[in-house]
Amino acid sequence: MNVLVIAEPSALQQAVCHWFEARERAFRLVAPADILGLGRADVYNTVVLDLATLEGLQRGNELSLSGESRHHLIELLEASASPFIFLSDGRVFDGDYAPINHRETDNVQPGSVAGARLSAVEHLLERHIERRVILRTGPVFSNQPDNFFVRFFQRLLDGGDIALNSQLKTCPTHVADLARVISGVIDQVACGANNWGAYHYNSSSPTSAYEFAEVMFAFASQQLDLDQKATSLVVQESALRIEPAVPVLRCEKILHDFGIKQLPWRSYLPQPIKLLCEKQNP
């Protein structure tokens, strides 16, 4: 079964396509702006994967798909009965009870603009698309710009005291780990798995900005002379935190239904840090 990937150029899109290529799965990339040009033949016998919505809402508060484009896509999916994989995140739970470890069965209660927009799309899909997987994740990071990981690294390079929040916990998830999970879900859906509804996946080990930066500092110090810059991490609760602030998600259901295990975010840090360090020492 082919895959239609709705995405702008990004680290996540590249990681997902890398997994498809490694598994010799045919796929086609479509930009959000081109959805209105799709017809029923484009989605027939195809898994449709929306990366663009999550990517846009993790960078800011704007939806990448217009209302007209989203409704056109839903009409095509209804007519073709093709499976739909939609990426969301834990901000659908970021209301009064956040942050706690949320299960898929917990009531959605967004407390932010991004959470409300994700929740609205989820409800729309629940009403119209029977064969759907809503995959909620944590704050996604990579070594490309526009995410907290690169901003933290730049602060390490700047040196001096770096004030970081140590209380707010989340589960940062590297694009390669999330791509692994997406590919695994699609493999099983393409083979006839009848597991539909909401699922959670974020990398294991909840962490704060301070703890995450400590690990980054340790890896980066092996390749750069950060002592020369007098870099020091300082706890300050009103300071830097991991963005977006996504509540921790429990991930037992995806293990039970798809056999997909959580992997620790720490295991994904060495390679992107090495790449960033190499840019400083060409």
Side-chain angles (χ1 to χ4, degrees), residues 92-246:
V92 297
F93 299 116
D94 64 4
D96 293 341
Y97 297 105
I100 59 175
N101 297 344
H102 289 281
R103 300 179 187 272
E104 292 84 350
T105 52
D106 290 348
N107 291 329
V108 167
Q109 188 196 43
S112 63
V113 172
R117 288 177 173 166
L118 285 167
S119 174
V121 176
E122 287 188 13
H123 288 316
L124 183 65
L125 299 179
E126 289 166 2
R127 290 196 302 270
H128 294 279
I129 308 297
E130 181 179 357
R131 302 179 72 203
R132 71 186 183 281
V133 172
I134 295 172
L135 181 60
R136 299 175 183 139
T137 190
V140 179
F141 70 96
S142 72
N143 64 332
Q144 292 190 5
D146 295 331
N147 69 90
F148 71 89
F149 175 74
V150 176
R151 290 192 290 272
F152 280 21
F153 184 80
Q154 186 58 53
R155 286 293 289 112
L156 293 176
L157 293 182
D158 292 342
D161 290 343
I162 306 173
L164 297 144
N165 179 283
S166 68
Q167 295 297 314
L168 190 64
K169 301 285 186 176
T170 188
C171 288
T173 304
H174 191 262
V175 290
D177 192 19
L178 184 55
R180 170 186 71 90
V181 174
I182 292 168
S183 179
V185 169
I186 289 177
D187 283 347
Q188 295 184 57
V189 166
C191 290
N194 200 30
N195 299 326
W196 310 115
Y199 287 87
H200 290 171
Y201 183 84
N202 48 213
S203 298
S204 61
S205 302
T207 189
S208 67
Y210 181 81
E211 294 164 347
F212 190 87
E214 275 191 316
V215 180
M216 288 187 67
F217 184 85
F219 282 127
S221 295
Q222 297 172 13
Q223 303 179 61
L224 298 175
D225 185 6
L226 297 179
D227 290 337
Q228 180 180 334
K229 299 176 180 293
T231 303
S232 177
L233 307 183
V234 179
V235 173
Q236 183 179 320
E237 302 317 332
S238 61
L240 283 175
R241 62 183 190 177
I242 294 173
E243 297 284 358
V246 180

Side-chain angles (χ1 to χ4, degrees), residues 220-278:
S221 295
Q222 297 172 13
Q223 303 179 61
L224 298 175
D225 185 6
L226 297 179
D227 290 337
Q228 180 180 334
K229 299 176 180 293
T231 303
S232 177
L233 307 183
V234 179
V235 173
Q236 183 179 320
E237 302 317 332
S238 61
L240 283 175
R241 62 183 190 177
I242 294 173
E243 297 284 358
V246 180
V248 175
L249 303 174
R250 299 189 63 157
C251 305
E252 292 93 343
K253 184 181 176 185
I254 199 167
L255 174 61
H256 180 270
D257 288 3
F258 289 100
I260 294 174
K261 297 180 179 180
Q262 284 179 285
L263 297 180
W265 53 264
R266 285 175 177 82
S267 65
Y268 285 92
L269 283 189
Q271 183 63 19
I273 288 179
K274 179 182 178 183
L275 292 173
L276 290 174
C277 289
E278 287 173 350

Side-chain angles (χ1 to χ4, degrees), residues 22-45:
R23 301 182 73 81
E24 299 184 346
R25 181 169 297 284
F27 66 91
R28 173 187 172 192
L29 289 170
V30 176
D34 297 328
I35 288 176
L36 288 175
L38 296 176
R40 193 177 302 181
D42 294 302
V43 300
Y44 177 73
N45 195 34

